[in-house]
Amino acid sequence: MRKSLAGLRLERARAIPLHQQIAQYLRELILGGELSNGSLLAGSRVIASEIGCSRSVVNDALELLCAEGYLEAVDRSGFKVALEPPVCGHQPPSTRSPYRTTPRLRVDQFSNVWKLLLSEDYEINPMSPFSPGAPEIGSFPFDAWARIVRQTWRTPERQLLLAPAPQGVPRLRDAVADFLGSVRGLLCRPEEIVITSGTANSLDLLARMLLNPGDAVWLEEPGFSEARWACSAAGGQLVPVPVDESGLIVSEAIKRAPNARLAIVTPSNQYPLGMMLSLERRLQLLEWAYQQNAWIIEDDYNSEFRQPGNMIASLKSLDKTGRVIYVGTFSKIMFPSLRIGYLVANKVFADIFARGRARIDLHTSTHLQLALANFLRSGLLIRHVRRMRAVYAERHDAVVHEFRHQLADHLDIPTSGIGLHFVAFFTQSLAARISDIEAASRTRAAGVFVQALSQCYLTDPARQGFIVGFGQVQTEAASRLVGTIAACLARH
Ligand SMILES: Cc1ncc(COP(=O)(O)O)c(C=O)c1O
């Protein structure tokens, strides 16, 4: 009996041409073993009337499949299947092909690294007003940015369109060097800079460059989850190191893993707790790295928002032996989806990094880099950063005020510094009643997402609290939003 195609429903609203939809349907039947080798297909007139299209569309599909080797024309009688479906194991015929349309995939079919990455429950919601680290995007000068992006595209240079730039476009590296000098007080040369696709990308590539599987890595506890994931993916052995009011406790780190290859730290504004790494600890850390030939990654994720008179010198600026790699990002001063960041290291390191990176990641979108270089040169970004310092200071004060006012019985908020978030610790009595994960899930159910502090810990016991972003909280909305959180905690 000739095979019909009556089961096919053509979708005319889709962008895929009708003859391609027919061809794809037949390919799947053949590869899935449902149309066996030698089966004769119904004639094109019959098929066309079954599925409701013109005969020429059906003929186009059948001829395409002949050209691809699935079908063969049979004298005057139409087309027959000309392919034995690939057999996979000894499963029943209906499930034996590996080409079935809905493959059943389970995480255990993937690498241990992937399993590890997916094993952790971790909740964020970058759209939430309280999302830590999310900047205010409403005030960004998009008109000017769009003009610059358009100009960059209108006159693309051949070199930029064709040649990879694993270290980053020179014009952007020049502009970033100037930007770091004027906004961050970090003196560096363009050849010491590599443009990356943000801090997460820098950490991933650096972890792969610096760690062998099993190498110990010091990570702040609590700390930045992306650092943890990058090191896990590179096979590193994660060594959580507690922090106190002076930042990472270096003596404890040395006790736990003296031979670590790498330490990842946030010295200017510990993530997420916000303290600064003391000078004594900085010198201790540098000395350890020098003695051990170990590396330090300095994640300086939001120093740009400090007032100039209050700018803390980077750890990198104290490093005389080239063990510190400074990592920065445009995610906070522009927007996170931009995916542009940078690292600063000595010239030889930057060059070796870029050569390896060229093999696995190539480079960050060149045209965006060029647009960003022009944007930085225009002075508009610096102006935006200055304006946002004042906006964030005001929002910080408004949100902290509301938390202290409405949640004094439940949350402690230590004096917090700069940036886009602060931490509100659960009081003992609240922590005895509810975990931060459970509390966060209650506020989420009430429509307000806040991140639980315990997610940033690698080991128990984790301190309980909320990491509260305020970058996106309009001051007028602070009272209402915090009120929702207060109601959730009170009801419990
Ligand atoms: C500690 C820390 N470093 C860096 C970043 C920025 O990462 P990226 O540049 O990958 O967006 C963030 C973002 O929230 C962060 O919290």
Side-chain angles (χ1 to χ4, degrees):
M1 202 176 100
R2 288 175 178 250
K3 303 290 179 189
S4 92
L5 265 66
L8 170 60
R9 294 279 166 272
L10 290 175
E11 293 177 62
R12 288 169 199 281
R14 293 179 70 190
I16 304 169
L18 295 181
H19 76 284
Q20 287 288 7
Q21 295 188 30
I22 300 170
Q24 184 56 21
Y25 180 76
L26 280 167
R27 276 187 209 107
E28 285 171 9
L29 290 184
I30 295 169
L31 290 171
E34 282 149 62
L35 272 183
S36 53
N37 195 6
S39 307
L40 262 181
L41 295 188
S44 57
R45 193 190 309 273
V46 176
I47 297 178
S49 77
E50 276 173 348
I51 60 178
C53 68
S54 75
R55 201 174 159 196
S56 68
V57 168
V58 176
N59 280 332
D60 285 350
L62 298 176
E63 276 157 27
L64 179 64
L65 293 177
C66 275
E68 290 177 4
Y70 288 86
L71 298 180
E72 222 172 69
V74 185
D75 271 354
R76 273 183 288 127
S77 53
F79 292 88
K80 70 172 186 180
V81 176
L83 185 79
E84 202 63 65
V87 174
C88 180
H90 301 286
Q91 292 139 0
S94 63
T95 59
R96 68 186 175 181
S97 169
Y99 294 96
R100 292 187 63 77
T101 43
T102 48
R104 268 173 248 117
L105 297 179
R106 289 184 317 272
V107 173
D108 63 11
Q109 296 173 41
F110 302 106
S111 70
N112 290 340
V113 163
W114 227 249
K115 275 182 249 170
L116 195 69
L117 290 177
L118 298 191
S119 65
E120 213 180 285
D121 283 334
Y122 188 84
E123 277 215 62
I124 51 162
N125 178 357
M127 303 291 287
S128 158
F130 290 125
S131 166
E136 166 61 58
I137 42 173
S139 318
F140 189 76
F142 278 110
D143 284 347
W145 170 246
R147 207 169 42 248
I148 287 174
V149 171
R150 208 167 40 243
Q151 277 160 4
T152 313
W153 268 113
R154 202 177 287 147
T155 49
E157 291 163 30
R158 195 176 142 71
Q159 154 107 8
L160 287 174
L161 292 177
L162 299 175
Q167 193 169 343
V169 170
R171 220 178 303 172
L172 180 56
R173 287 191 277 125
D174 283 351
V176 169
D178 287 352
F179 176 79
L180 287 174
S182 65
V183 172
R184 180 64 186 89
L186 176 65
L187 301 178
C188 58
R189 285 175 287 129
E191 56 273 26
E192 296 170 329
I193 294 175
V194 184
I195 304 301
T196 67
S197 307
T199 298
N201 180 235
S202 301
L203 292 175
D204 174 30
L205 293 170
L206 284 168
R208 288 200 254 174
M209 175 183 180
L210 303 177
L211 296 176
N212 284 314
D215 282 347
V217 191
W218 294 355
L219 294 173
E220 292 169 327
E221 175 85 327
F224 182 42
S225 304
E226 269 84 341
R228 184 160 91 209
W229 297 330
C231 294
S232 291
Q237 180 212 330
L238 312 185
V239 179
V241 180
V243 296
D244 63 14
E245 62 288 351
S246 304
L248 184 97
I249 308 177
V250 180
S251 57
E252 182 59 30
I254 294 175
K255 222 183 281 167
R256 292 184 182 196
N259 301 322
R261 293 288 303 141
L262 174 65
I264 304 184
V265 285
T266 46
S268 301
N269 185 221
Q270 200 277 333
Y271 189 85
L273 301 184
M275 70 285 280
M276 187 185 89
L277 187 65
S278 70
L279 180 58
E280 193 189 335
R281 300 260 175 95
R282 286 171 189 241
L283 296 174
Q284 237 181 323
L285 184 61
L286 290 169
E287 178 62 19
W288 163 79
Y290 174 61
Q291 293 296 342
Q292 289 295 325
N293 268 336
W295 300 99
I296 301 167
I297 296 177
E298 174 179 20
D299 175 4
D300 197 36
Y301 59 103
N302 63 9
S303 287
E304 298 92 345
F305 295 126
R306 274 181 194 278
Q307 295 299 338
N310 198 12
M311 192 67 78
I312 293 164
S314 62
L315 181 64
K316 172 113 197 87
S317 61
L318 276 178
D319 171 32
K320 300 290 171 248
T321 59
R323 309 312 298 178
V324 177
I325 304 128
Y326 177 96
V327 166
T329 182
F330 286 94
S331 289
K332 314 240 170 186
I333 51 176
M334 291 182 68
F335 37 89
S337 66
L338 183 72
R339 304 319 301 149
I340 299 189
Y342 48 87
L343 61 86
V344 185
N346 71 44
K347 181 180 173 327
V348 179
F349 186 102
D351 181 54
I352 295 172
F353 175 93
R355 280 167 40 210
R357 188 249 183 124
R359 309 231 151 145
I360 46 176
D361 178 59
L362 288 186
H363 59 97
T364 303
S365 163
T366 306
H367 255 81
L368 267 187
Q369 289 189 52
L370 201 56
L372 180 54
N374 295 338
F375 192 56
L376 281 164
R377 284 279 172 245
S378 73
L380 288 165
L381 186 56
I382 293 192
R383 220 178 301 156
H384 173 65
V385 169
R386 291 201 183 116
R387 204 172 42 240
M388 293 319 287
R389 280 178 187 149
V391 172
Y392 291 144
E394 193 183 307
R395 290 186 179 185
H396 167 270
D397 292 351
V399 177
V400 168
H401 170 81
E402 288 302 333
F403 266 81
R404 289 197 172 132
H405 178 63
Q406 300 193 40
L407 283 152
D409 292 344
H410 299 310
L411 299 172
D412 284 331
I413 302 173
T415 321
S416 62
I418 49 126
L420 295 175
H421 75 273
F422 60 85
V423 169
F425 294 107
F426 281 20
T427 56
Q428 272 191 354
S429 66
L430 181 64
R433 287 195 283 123
I434 189 169
S435 73
D436 57 4
I437 300 276
E438 203 186 329
S441 94
R442 276 164 193 263
T443 68
R444 192 177 54 238
V448 177
F449 173 91
V450 264
Q451 190 177 352
L453 172 63
S454 61
Q455 290 195 138
C456 293
Y457 283 80
L458 198 55
T459 48
D460 285 332
R463 268 190 95 170
Q464 304 290 298
F466 289 146
I467 308 175
V468 184
F470 52 81
Q472 301 191 81
V473 182
Q474 310 275 343
T475 45
E476 316 79 73
S479 165
R480 176 180 52 80
L481 290 166
V482 177
T484 306
I485 298 177
C488 291
L489 298 187
R491 234 182 286 134
H492 182 66

